[in-house]
């Protein structure tokens, strides 16, 4: 089931983003029921090549999905990973030896020239290349050796929502396939996602806190850190609020000094080791009198200024990010509308960003 979207005039601000957010439970179910066997086949072929190192290539929202994959690959497989700097190849012409290296390029459209050029160069340098896109006919899918289709369907709102969660799930299934797993931990996601997206009234109440915010800080650790980065991006590109994302560990190394009792702090608290590692940061934030909002387990929400309780049973920590981002997508949508803007069409942005 998908979360209901109220009937509204066709020109209502944010209607396209709202509709695409509501599609996410169906998209997740489609990947699990239809896409998973194909993803596992790609993973089986890549695993047979025994890559020694992984490089992840992406920009924007897809970069946050790639960061999630980095945590999965390093924790679940023990494979060292890095995030690439494409300009070393596209601007400086560097050609490192990538023999036995797995290069995963994540892109919703698969059309940005720098992603295509760097993936082509990686394959020519000996890498095993995998493109993860929402467009199997894209240039990126064409230059990569293997392709993973995230099957999200057309996305028309400028802020990416369903393609982000679809990318996370596809990457999770791919990594599970590399390690010979079946990805069963993801089976609970569509139902939980539908129930979370139906809690729009809670998010609308939370959004009222941020209508006049001058800036925001979003923090997490472990698997939740990509969620913090993606939430900050969504808030900045829709509402234009400067939203700064930090690993909880990095927040303590200097940026904590800017936290006061006026600028809100959102903490994404996973139920697991990442959430445990974040506890000293939460204690420091409370001690500073921060306006602390927690997205996470009930026990953590109860100790914050406000929050949104996420389901934690029976959701494995490694798939919680697919649910954690949903209330934050809704928050970006509601804050933007409360500020009199249209989240469907942020200024100065295009759906496909072409960089070289």
């Amino acid at each position: 089931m998908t979360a209901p979207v109220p009937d509204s005039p066709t020109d209502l601000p944010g209607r396209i983003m709202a509709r695409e957010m509501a599609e996410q439970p169906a998209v997740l179910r489609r990947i699990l029921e239809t896409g998973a066997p194909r993803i596992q086949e790609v993973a089986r072929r890549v695993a047979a090549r025994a890559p020694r190192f992984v490089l992840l290539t992406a920009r924007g929202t897809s970069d946050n999905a790639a960061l999630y994959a980095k945590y999965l690959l390093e924790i679940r497989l023990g494979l060292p990973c890095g995030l690439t700097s494409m300009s070393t190849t596209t601007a400086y012409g560097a050609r490192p030896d990538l023999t036995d290296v797995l290069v995963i390029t994540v892109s919703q459209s698969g059309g940005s020239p720098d992603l295509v050029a760097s993936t082509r160069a990686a394959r020519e340098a000996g890498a095993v290349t995998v493109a993860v896109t929402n467009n199997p006919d894209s240039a990126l899918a064409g230059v990569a050796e293997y392709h993973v289709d995230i099957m999200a369907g057309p996305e028309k709102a400028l802020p990416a929502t369903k393609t982000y969660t679809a990318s996370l799930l596809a990457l999770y299934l791919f990594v599970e396939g590399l390690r010979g797993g079946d990805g069963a931990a993801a089976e609970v996601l569509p139902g939980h996602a539908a129930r979370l997206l139906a809690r729009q009234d809670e998010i609308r109440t939370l959004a009222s806190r941020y209508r006049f915010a001058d800036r925001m800080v979003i923090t997490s650790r472990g698997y939740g850190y990509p969620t913090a980065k993606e939430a900050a991006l969504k808030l900045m590109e829709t509402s234009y609020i400067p939203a700064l994302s930090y690993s909880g560990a990095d927040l303590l190394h200097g940026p904590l000094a800017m936290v006061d009792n006026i600028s809100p702090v959102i903490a994404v608290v996973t139920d697991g080791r990442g959430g445990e590692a974040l506890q000293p940061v939460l204690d420091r934030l409370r001690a500073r009198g921060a306006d602390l909002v927690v997205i996470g387990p009930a026990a953590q929400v109860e100790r914050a200024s406000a929050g949104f309780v996420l389901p934690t049973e029976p959701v494995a920590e490694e798939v919680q990010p697919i649910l954690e981002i949903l209330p934050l997508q809704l928050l970006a949508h509601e804050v933007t509308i409360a500020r009199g803007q249209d989240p469907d069409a942020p200024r100065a942005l295009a759906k496909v960003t072409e960089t070289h």
Side-chain angles (χ1 to χ4, degrees), residues 200-214:
Q200 293 170 321
D201 289 344
E202 291 179 58
I203 292 297
R204 196 167 290 118
T205 299
L206 194 58
S208 65
R209 301 171 69 92
Y210 306 131
R211 181 176 180 182
F212 301 108
D214 291 326

Side-chain angles (χ1 to χ4, degrees), residues 10-66:
T10 57
D11 59 348
L12 187 69
R15 68 179 181 84
I16 302 175
M17 183 180 176
R19 184 179 67 236
E20 291 174 350
M21 286 189 293
E23 291 175 15
Q24 289 176 103
V27 172
L28 297 176
R29 188 172 294 107
R30 184 187 310 138
I31 296 169
L32 290 170
E33 294 177 354
T34 305
R38 303 174 195 171
I39 295 171
Q40 289 176 336
E41 176 60 20
V42 171
R44 185 188 66 78
R45 294 185 182 186
V46 171
R49 307 277 287 275
R52 59 185 172 85
F53 191 88
V54 183
L55 288 173
L56 294 142
T57 304
R59 292 204 187 278
T61 285
S62 294
D63 198 36
N64 299 327

Side-chain angles (χ1 to χ4, degrees), residues 276-337:
E276 293 168 7
L278 191 63
Q279 292 310 306
V281 182
L282 299 179
D283 291 340
R284 292 284 296 276
L285 289 168
R286 293 186 189 102
R288 290 189 61 82
D291 179 8
L292 177 63
V293 174
V294 167
I295 308 295
Q300 295 300 325
V301 170
E302 290 170 0
R303 299 180 62 199
S305 305
F308 186 94
V309 176
L310 291 174
T312 56
E313 294 290 341
V315 184
E317 182 179 6
E318 59 268 20
V319 296
Q320 287 178 32
I322 301 172
L323 300 177
E324 289 167 349
I325 192 60
L326 299 179
L328 292 163
Q329 291 174 347
L330 290 170
L331 182 65
H333 181 270
E334 293 299 329
V335 168
T336 304
I337 290 175

Side-chain angles (χ1 to χ4, degrees), residues 2 9 20 44 56 80 108 112 118 137 170 184-185 187 204 219 248-249 258 263 284 301 318 320 335 341:
T2 57
E20 291 174 350
R44 185 188 66 78
L56 294 142
Q108 299 153 39
S112 186
S118 62
D137 298 321
E187 292 177 1
R204 196 167 290 118
T219 188
M258 71 177 173
S263 300
R284 292 284 296 276
V301 170
E318 59 268 20
Q320 287 178 32
V335 168
Q341 295 147 201

Side-chain angles (χ1 to χ4, degrees), residues 31 113 126 147 155 164 168 246:
I31 296 169
H147 178 251
E155 189 173 58
Y164 179 70
L168 296 191
Y246 294 100

Side-chain angles (χ1 to χ4, degrees), residues 223-249:
Y223 285 114
Y225 181 42
T227 305
K229 290 178 67 67
E230 174 62 12
L233 176 60
K234 282 292 156 287
L235 282 161
M236 287 189 287
E237 69 181 354
T238 57
S239 70
Y240 318 141
I241 297 174
L244 309 173
S245 59
Y246 294 100
S247 158

